[in-house]
């Protein structure tokens, strides 16, 4: 059932990014802006389309489920980390290399440097998810143990860190970026709670959704936080934790109907297909958007003013075009994501260094935007991270002692 939820979240992300692409062409050249920045109606809409908390909750559910299965088989936490890193870094390595090469070719073909800088910046922004997800996924074994030993204390401690960072950020805004760790670790922990059945009681779920939304309304209406849930994404705030609680409570309430709907062959096939290439879709939807825009620009297609009647009339074919390109890309490179990880576990140091190296590669692109150089550096660091976690021949048997040590007391 959560496969359907994850697939739906991914569709929302792709459609939203497609709508955010405000491209205008005038005598001064080509301009790219976020179309939603000046849209007042987007503020209430953001409460419905900000799905990243739910994305991380589903990731937490998947993480604890997979780790417990591996642990029961006597496999190592480091093998779990290796599998997660390979699942995320391999597709990203390919995407970074292709995007970097594409930008280099565009530059050699005479594309304006300032336009390429705008394009690279926009394509690089969504990569924050990859870097954060790498980090929180690597900590799943540690946090599962904490959850199993003291679930409320662990969740409360993480939430306290989120609030502390929010308070610090009010005086020093840069401090807010510490919540790239604490907010998403808290939300992932809620996914652990869902896996343990915390949301099975319908009355509890209904009350949880109502309470979380009421508190969210109070702190945003009172001016403590922005009412725009995308403003609360950069940097993340406690608002996203509350939104995540409301979202998973509503999913729990809808679960019986969702399960019945998934008994139909077509919805099941769609959810499974999206699940098999979810990261590929995420990595490639922005390059697909840029490719479609480039084709339309070369063809001298008209670009209606943002939010004009013509702009809205062209949004459906615009989104459909992006979807077709993404589908074609997934058919070609989706197998990279689905490739199973080999047996064996890296050492503790290699696992930690591999994750940090991969995150650094993503941060390079996130900070500099996609350029030929930053993409090459990012791809090289991702390749290095995969090399670091490749197990030595004498380390192929899983480290059962560590697996046993991470079991709950």
């Amino acid at each position: 059932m959560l496969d359907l939820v994850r697939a739906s979240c991914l569709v929302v992300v792709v459609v939203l990014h497609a709508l955010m692409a405000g491209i205008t062409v005038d005598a001064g050249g080509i301009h790219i802006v976020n179309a939603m920045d000046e849209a007042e109606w987007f503020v209430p809409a953001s409460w419905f389309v900000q799905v990243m908390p739910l994305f991380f909750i589903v990731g937490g559910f998947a993480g604890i489920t997979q780790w417990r299965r591996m642990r029961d088989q006597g496999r190592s936490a480091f093998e779990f980390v290796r599998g997660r890193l390979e699942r995320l870094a391999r597709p990203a390595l390919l995407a970074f290399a292709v995007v970097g090469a594409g930008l280099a070719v565009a530059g050699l073909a005479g594309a304006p440097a300032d336009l390429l800088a705008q394009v690279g910046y926009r394509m690089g922004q969504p990569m924050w998810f990859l870097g954060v997800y790498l980090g929180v996924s690597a900590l799943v074994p540690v946090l599962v143990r904490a959850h199993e030993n003291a679930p409320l204390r662990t969740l409360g401690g993480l939430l306290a860190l989120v609030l502390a960072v929010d308070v610090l950020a009010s005086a020093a805004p840069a401090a807010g970026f510490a919540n790239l760790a604490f907010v998403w670790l808290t939300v992932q922990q809620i996914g652990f709670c869902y896996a343990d059945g915390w949301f099975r009681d319908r009355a509890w779920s209904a009350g949880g959704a109502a309470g979380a939304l009421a508190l969210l309304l109070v702190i945003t209406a009172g001016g403590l936080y922005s009412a725009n849930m995308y403003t609360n994404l950069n940097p993340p705030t406690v608002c996203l934790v509350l939104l995540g609680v409301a979202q998973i409570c509503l999913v729990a309430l809808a679960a019986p109907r969702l399960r019945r709907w998934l008994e139909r062959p077509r919805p099941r096939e769609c959810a499974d297909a999206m699940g098999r290439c979810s990261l590929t879709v995420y990595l490639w939807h922005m390059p697909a958007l840029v490719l479609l825009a480039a084709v339309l620009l070369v063809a001298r297609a008209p670009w209606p003013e943002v939010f004009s009647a013509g702009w809205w009339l062209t949004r459906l074919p615009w989104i459909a075009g992006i979807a077709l390109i993404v589908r074609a890309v997934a058919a070609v490179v989706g197998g990279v994501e689905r490739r199973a990880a080999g047996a064996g576990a890296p050492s503790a140091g290699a696992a930690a260094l591999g994750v940090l190296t991969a995150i650094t590669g993503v941060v390079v692109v996130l900070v500099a935007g996609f350029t030929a150089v930053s993409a090459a550096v990012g791809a090289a660091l991702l390749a290095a991270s995969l090399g670091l976690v490749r197990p030595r021949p004498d380390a192929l048997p899983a480290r059962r002692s560590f697996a046993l040590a991470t079991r709950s007391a």
Side-chain angles (χ1 to χ4, degrees), residues 7-406:
S8 300
C9 289
L10 191 54
V11 170
V12 171
V13 169
V14 173
V15 170
L16 185 60
H17 285 169
L19 292 176
M20 284 179 169
I23 303 172
T24 57
V25 181
D26 56 28
I30 303 167
H31 309 283
I32 306 172
V33 298
N34 184 340
M36 301 303 164
D37 280 346
E38 304 300 326
E40 294 184 3
W41 56 264
F42 183 70
V43 174
S46 70
W47 290 49
F48 298 93
V49 298
Q50 175 51 277
V51 294
M52 297 313 298
L54 191 53
F55 222 128
F56 275 89
I57 289 172
V58 173
F61 175 91
I64 192 173
T65 303
Q66 181 186 6
W67 166 231
R68 282 173 170 171
R69 184 167 56 246
M70 292 179 68
R71 187 180 63 184
D72 291 343
Q73 295 168 354
R75 297 166 71 183
S76 163
F78 305 127
E79 190 171 0
F80 171 87
V81 172
R82 178 196 174 205
R84 278 304 178 100
L85 179 58
E86 289 188 345
R87 173 72 188 271
L88 296 168
R90 273 198 312 242
L93 168 58
L94 177 61
F96 281 26
V98 172
V99 170
L103 290 172
V105 170
L108 292 173
D114 61 338
L115 177 60
L116 291 180
Q118 290 185 65
V119 168
Y121 171 73
R122 298 293 176 183
M123 283 197 295
Q125 282 184 309
M127 293 302 105
W128 73 265
F129 169 79
L130 178 62
V132 171
Y133 202 67
L134 276 164
V136 300
S137 294
L139 292 173
V140 162
V142 174
L143 290 174
V144 166
R145 183 182 181 186
H147 169 74
E148 291 173 342
N149 289 334
L152 289 176
R153 187 169 60 196
T154 302
L155 189 60
L158 287 170
L159 183 58
L161 288 170
V162 171
L163 292 170
V165 170
D166 280 356
V167 171
L168 287 173
S170 63
F177 288 99
N179 268 341
L180 281 169
F182 299 133
V183 163
W184 300 120
L185 286 171
T186 305
V187 174
Q188 177 178 258
Q189 212 75 10
I190 296 170
F192 297 173
C193 298
Y194 185 88
D196 282 350
W198 284 30
F199 300 89
R200 289 175 185 166
D201 185 272
R202 293 184 63 82
W204 194 98
S205 292
L213 289 173
L215 183 54
L216 189 57
L217 183 61
V218 168
I219 63 177
T220 54
L224 291 175
Y225 294 91
S226 170
N228 187 327
M229 291 301 115
Y230 273 83
T231 300
N232 284 301
L233 184 64
N234 187 31
T237 70
V238 73
C239 292
L240 297 185
V241 178
L242 291 172
L243 185 61
V245 170
Q247 288 171 337
I248 195 59
C249 286
L250 293 173
V251 166
L253 291 171
R257 292 185 179 181
L258 292 176
R259 292 192 183 98
R260 285 195 298 271
W261 193 58
L262 274 177
E263 292 174 359
R264 303 177 183 179
R266 186 61 177 170
R268 178 79 268 173
E269 290 173 6
C270 290
D272 289 345
M274 188 71 79
R276 288 192 296 269
C277 60
S278 56
L279 184 60
T280 300
V281 172
Y282 191 88
L283 288 169
W284 288 93
H285 75 279
M286 288 299 287
L289 185 156
V290 171
L291 178 60
L292 179 59
V295 170
L296 293 175
L297 287 167
V298 170
R300 298 187 180 277
W303 292 92
E305 182 181 351
V306 174
F307 297 144
S308 66
W311 188 87
W312 283 112
L313 287 172
T314 56
R315 289 314 86 189
L316 184 58
W318 169 249
I319 293 169
I322 294 170
L324 287 173
I325 296 173
V326 170
R327 182 174 181 179
V329 172
V332 175
V333 305
V336 175
E337 179 181 354
R338 297 191 296 272
R339 188 184 305 165
S347 66
L353 186 57
V355 171
L356 290 174
T357 301
I359 292 173
T360 302
V362 176
V363 169
V364 167
V365 167
L366 184 60
V367 172
F370 270 112
T371 67
V373 174
S374 69
V377 172
L381 288 170
L382 289 170
S385 73
L386 293 172
L388 285 166
V389 299
R390 187 175 297 118
R392 302 183 306 274
D394 60 348
L396 288 178
R399 290 173 168 78
R400 293 176 180 266
S401 61
F402 188 91
L404 292 173
T406 54

